[in-house]
Amino acid sequence: MNELEKVENHHATHDVDIEKGQFSGSHGTSGSTTPQVAHSATAQNEKEKDLDSASSSQIEDDIGFAPISTRKSQSQHQPRPMSRQSHNSATLSHISRSRSNNGFGVDDLDDEAEMEEEADQEAAARQGAGETVDEEKRFEVGWEGGDSDPLNPRSMATWRKWIIIAVLSIGSFAVTHASAIYTSTYTQMNAEFHCSREVATLGLSFFVLGIALGPFWSPLAEFYGRRPIYICSFVGFLIWLIPSAVAKNIETMLIARFFQGLAGSAFLSVSGGTVGDLFTRDKFQLPMAIFALSPFIGPATGPLVGGLINTFTTWRWTYYFLIIWAGVLLVCVVVLVPETYHPILLKRKAANLRKTTGDNRYHAPIERTTKSVASTLGNALLRPFQLLLLEPMCLILDLYSAVLLGVLYLFFGAFPLVFVTNYGFNLWQVGLTFIGLGVSMVLAAFITPVWTRIRNGLAEKRFKKTGIMKGEPEDQLPPVIVGAPLITGGLFMFGFSTYPWVHWIVPIIGSSIFGLGMSFAFTGIFTFLVDAYPRYAASALATNALVRCSFAAAFPLFGIQMYDKLGFQWATALLAFLTLGMMPFPYIFFVFGKRIRAKSRFAARS
């Protein structure tokens, strides 16, 4: 089979989304590239046609956390023109891109003006070096044979891919688990440090604030790869656990908790991209569903494990346990998780070719980028606030998800109040009451295929009306629409069943219903933001993470006082009324979202 036939077969089976050279970034973040080596200008032109054809046939994702299509559908008879001046096609037409997220980050696409400016700079650099367009095409390094290239992470054995996914999923789980396990140390730690419950709660809030900053670290993966971020993140996480274990005062604890969250957040924001690096679209659903579940089930299990530890030993063993766990995971990351970020691997391949052949014309696509670390981080800091201030859909959905996560973290204080006061539960029994939340989150992951069928049905219905088979970002909102009444109903059920004469299982069932609806809402909101703001997907999720985690940090600070003043029933009812007020918005956006996007500065237009 000649090279052109390989390219045609490759693009017949893999979705392609050609974009400018910010290849992928991150929890956010993430993506993969699948370049090919071209040997002639004719073959290059044929490949560009194949890329356009594949891109035009791409429709919506298969699951809630699957790669998000960012290319508008086009007719086969009207392929999108490729201009080297505007798209730098010698580099970009080789790139197949998948995008995934776990709620903490994906990658942004560059502005068209930036793309044109960078293309002009690269063209000037080539002219200065005496290179021609055809020469650069011939010496651009890619995957030989597509995914079957031995150096391509997708050619790894299946068992090895799953080991990598397992390590990263457990790592994400460990970071968010550490945020909540802290709440079980209050009784012993407060007595030793002579601090109030409100001051101790700051340790939970500071940790979550550290996590909020995670997506802003994700652009570093574009320059250094994923593996260095993983290792540095977990080394930092492990180091900052030590001061907590040996702390002599509450001040040391609070500072250490913030930096634990900050270090762990980098791991969360980058690791989702590895799933897209390893698996093709048709095999993406199961690993991404498992991975996406891990950072959200972590907080639900923290009080359970912490309750057992703090019931039968001292509170410092909470951190000894986390140090041992983080140490084992760090060794697993170093030994079992290789670099999987395609642009970095191609850069290494190009360097090896230059070394072995002595020909310095070999290069990888990422080596032609003119972006700097400073400019990339600058955009990562600015764009989220632009979206928050200028995009009403982004703002409202961010606030909704923020209220939900805030309620979840407020429960870490409310559950002990309710179940100790009403039912006389001890510490480890209180930890068991969080099982309902964990079970509901796992159940939500298994229901994901239902939303896939609903989205496909909406696309087919649209095809019958318009003759065009494509999805819209609003197709991602049915999980939020279904989850909204479950959230409100679950909170009311929990609140008005917190009487001593009502069996303890009833409020736990109410919390489970809330957890199920919350999981549905997160799934829909994350995928909608990525689909509605494809060029600024990383910024959209960074904004969501910042607002979401800020509320999660704030709610526990007033939760105890609110429950003391209003009582168990009406304190929870107040939270339920907040979610009731926001319940219509997912449906409003489902119906009118297309019109709102048409007037948007940042959103994709249908």
Side-chain angles (χ1 to χ4, degrees):
M1 180 182 294
N2 60 37
E3 184 67 17
L4 180 55
E5 290 172 338
K6 291 179 181 179
V7 172
E8 291 172 342
N9 290 338
H10 170 72
H11 290 296
T13 57
H14 295 280
D15 294 296
V16 178
D17 189 7
I18 311 167
E19 290 295 347
K20 159 79 182 48
Q22 186 168 345
F23 300 94
S24 68
S26 81
H27 151 252
T29 100
S30 64
S32 62
T33 59
T34 314
Q36 303 288 331
V37 176
H39 293 288
S40 68
T42 301
Q44 175 66 25
N45 292 335
E46 291 297 324
K47 286 188 287 184
E48 290 178 6
K49 293 178 182 178
D50 289 336
L51 284 165
D52 290 326
S53 177
S55 179
S56 65
S57 64
Q58 189 172 6
I59 60 173
E60 290 294 321
D61 316 309
D62 296 324
I63 62 168
F65 293 93
I68 303 299
S69 170
T70 60
R71 175 72 54 209
K72 298 178 182 179
S73 298
Q74 298 186 25
S75 170
Q76 282 185 329
H77 301 291
Q78 294 178 331
R80 182 176 58 85
M82 294 288 291
S83 166
R84 176 166 184 84
Q85 182 68 14
S86 62
H87 265 295
N88 194 15
S89 62
T91 297
L92 303 176
S93 63
H94 296 78
I95 298 174
S96 169
R97 168 192 177 102
S98 298
R99 306 176 70 198
S100 61
N101 77 81
N102 61 349
F104 290 87
V106 292
D107 53 306
D108 274 349
L109 308 180
D110 289 333
D111 288 326
E112 293 180 3
E114 293 175 355
M115 292 162 56
E116 293 181 5
E117 180 181 357
E118 186 171 337
D120 291 341
Q121 293 173 351
E122 293 173 8
R126 285 193 304 273
Q127 292 175 1
E131 291 185 10
T132 65
V133 172
D134 289 341
E135 186 177 60
E136 196 208 355
K137 291 177 184 178
R138 284 190 294 117
F139 288 96
E140 184 175 90
V141 176
W143 299 131
E144 299 177 12
D147 291 342
S148 62
D149 189 315
L151 299 179
N152 189 325
R154 292 181 178 175
S155 67
M156 291 180 182
T158 302
W159 63 267
R160 190 180 180 193
K161 293 180 184 180
W162 277 105
I163 287 177
I164 296 172
I165 295 300
V167 172
L168 297 182
S169 297
I170 296 173
S172 298
F173 172 81
V175 172
T176 55
H177 178 91
S179 70
I181 197 173
Y182 170 80
T183 61
S184 62
T185 68
Y186 288 158
T187 302
Q188 293 188 42
M189 183 184 69
N190 293 359
E192 181 175 333
F193 291 161
H194 306 289
C195 66
S196 67
R197 176 68 175 268
E198 289 77 12
V199 172
T201 304
L202 287 172
L204 175 63
S205 299
F206 284 0
F207 190 103
V208 180
L209 282 177
I211 290 180
L213 301 177
F216 299 103
W217 293 98
S218 59
L220 295 175
E222 294 180 35
F223 299 93
Y224 306 111
R226 305 196 197 281
R227 178 177 163 86
I229 302 296
Y230 295 152
I231 295 175
C232 292
S233 173
F234 242 78
V235 166
F237 181 64
L238 176 60
I239 289 174
W240 283 104
L241 284 171
I242 297 173
S244 291
V246 300
K248 300 299 182 182
N249 52 62
I250 191 63
E251 293 83 1
T252 302
M253 178 65 70
L254 297 182
I255 294 172
R257 288 284 294 175
F258 173 77
F259 285 103
Q260 289 164 25
L262 184 63
S265 67
F267 188 92
L268 289 172
S269 65
V270 174
S271 51
T274 297
V275 184
D277 293 342
L278 295 173
F279 293 91
T280 54
R281 189 184 182 92
D282 58 323
K283 299 178 181 178
F284 193 89
Q285 180 173 350
L286 181 59
M288 196 61 205
I290 293 173
F291 174 80
L293 175 68
S294 56
F296 292 100
I297 199 173
T301 61
L304 170 60
V305 177
L308 293 170
I309 293 174
N310 286 268
T311 297
F312 299 106
T313 186
T314 67
W315 68 269
R316 294 186 186 274
W317 266 101
T318 305
Y319 294 97
Y320 299 154
F321 164 72
L322 290 175
I323 288 170
I324 294 170
W325 189 4
V328 172
L329 280 173
L330 178 59
V331 172
C332 290
V333 169
V334 172
V335 175
L336 300 175
V337 181
E339 179 60 64
T340 62
Y341 188 41
H342 292 216
I344 295 296
L345 294 176
L346 289 169
K347 181 179 179 180
R348 295 177 182 175
K349 183 177 180 180
N352 185 60
L353 282 172
R354 290 194 294 267
K355 181 178 179 180
T356 56
T357 65
D359 192 336
N360 290 327
R361 289 175 294 180
Y362 286 105
H363 63 275
I366 195 174
E367 293 178 300
R368 293 307 196 204
T369 184
T370 59
K371 292 184 301 180
S372 66
V373 175
S375 65
T376 302
L377 289 177
N379 286 330
L381 292 172
L382 175 63
R383 283 173 180 162
F385 295 100
Q386 291 177 319
L387 289 170
L388 190 63
L389 296 175
L390 301 176
E391 293 295 318
M393 290 195 298
C394 186
L395 173 63
I396 291 173
L397 291 176
D398 286 353
L399 289 175
Y400 190 32
S401 60
V403 168
L404 299 184
L405 195 66
V407 171
L408 176 63
Y409 274 81
L410 185 147
F411 277 171
F412 296 141
F415 273 39
L417 276 178
V418 170
F419 291 102
V420 171
T421 303
N422 286 348
Y423 306 107
F425 283 12
N426 60 30
L427 187 58
W428 70 267
Q429 289 172 328
V430 170
L432 291 176
T433 61
F434 287 87
I435 290 179
L437 285 169
V439 170
S440 65
M441 292 177 185
V442 174
L443 178 61
F446 284 104
I447 298 177
T448 298
V450 174
W451 310 125
T452 301
R453 289 194 291 271
I454 291 175
R455 284 197 297 272
N456 291 341
L458 292 171
E460 291 172 1
K461 183 178 180 181
R462 192 174 296 112
F463 174 74
K464 292 177 181 179
K465 289 183 178 180
T466 65
I468 300 175
M469 187 66 174
K470 71 170 184 175
E472 296 285 0
E474 290 71 30
D475 295 347
Q476 309 288 352
L477 290 175
V480 195
I481 296 172
V482 173
L486 294 177
I487 290 166
T488 303
L491 286 175
F492 276 123
M493 182 177 178
F494 176 84
F496 289 104
S497 62
T498 53
Y499 292 100
W501 58 84
V502 178
H503 195 277
W504 53 263
I505 196 62
V506 180
I508 291 177
I509 293 174
S511 70
S512 301
I513 295 173
F514 164 78
L516 183 65
M518 181 185 66
S519 299
F520 288 165
F522 282 155
T523 297
I525 289 172
F526 296 155
T527 52
F528 172 79
L529 290 175
V530 175
D531 222 10
Y533 303 95
R535 186 169 298 281
Y536 307 102
S539 298
L541 286 185
T543 303
N544 185 275
L546 180 62
V547 177
R548 192 174 76 234
C549 292
S550 297
F551 275 52
F555 272 47
L557 297 177
F558 61 79
I560 301 298
Q561 297 89 328
M562 184 176 71
Y563 271 76
D564 286 338
K565 294 291 185 181
L566 300 180
F568 299 161
Q569 295 77 35
W570 286 104
T572 310
L574 176 61
L575 301 174
F577 281 122
L578 282 177
T579 63
L580 181 63
M582 306 195 77
M583 185 190 298
F585 285 104
Y587 182 76
I588 292 172
F589 294 154
F590 180 75
V591 176
F592 300 105
K594 187 174 181 178
R595 299 180 191 177
I596 297 173
R597 285 188 291 112
K599 301 177 182 179
S600 170
R601 173 181 171 185
F602 297 99
R605 291 175 173 80
S606 299

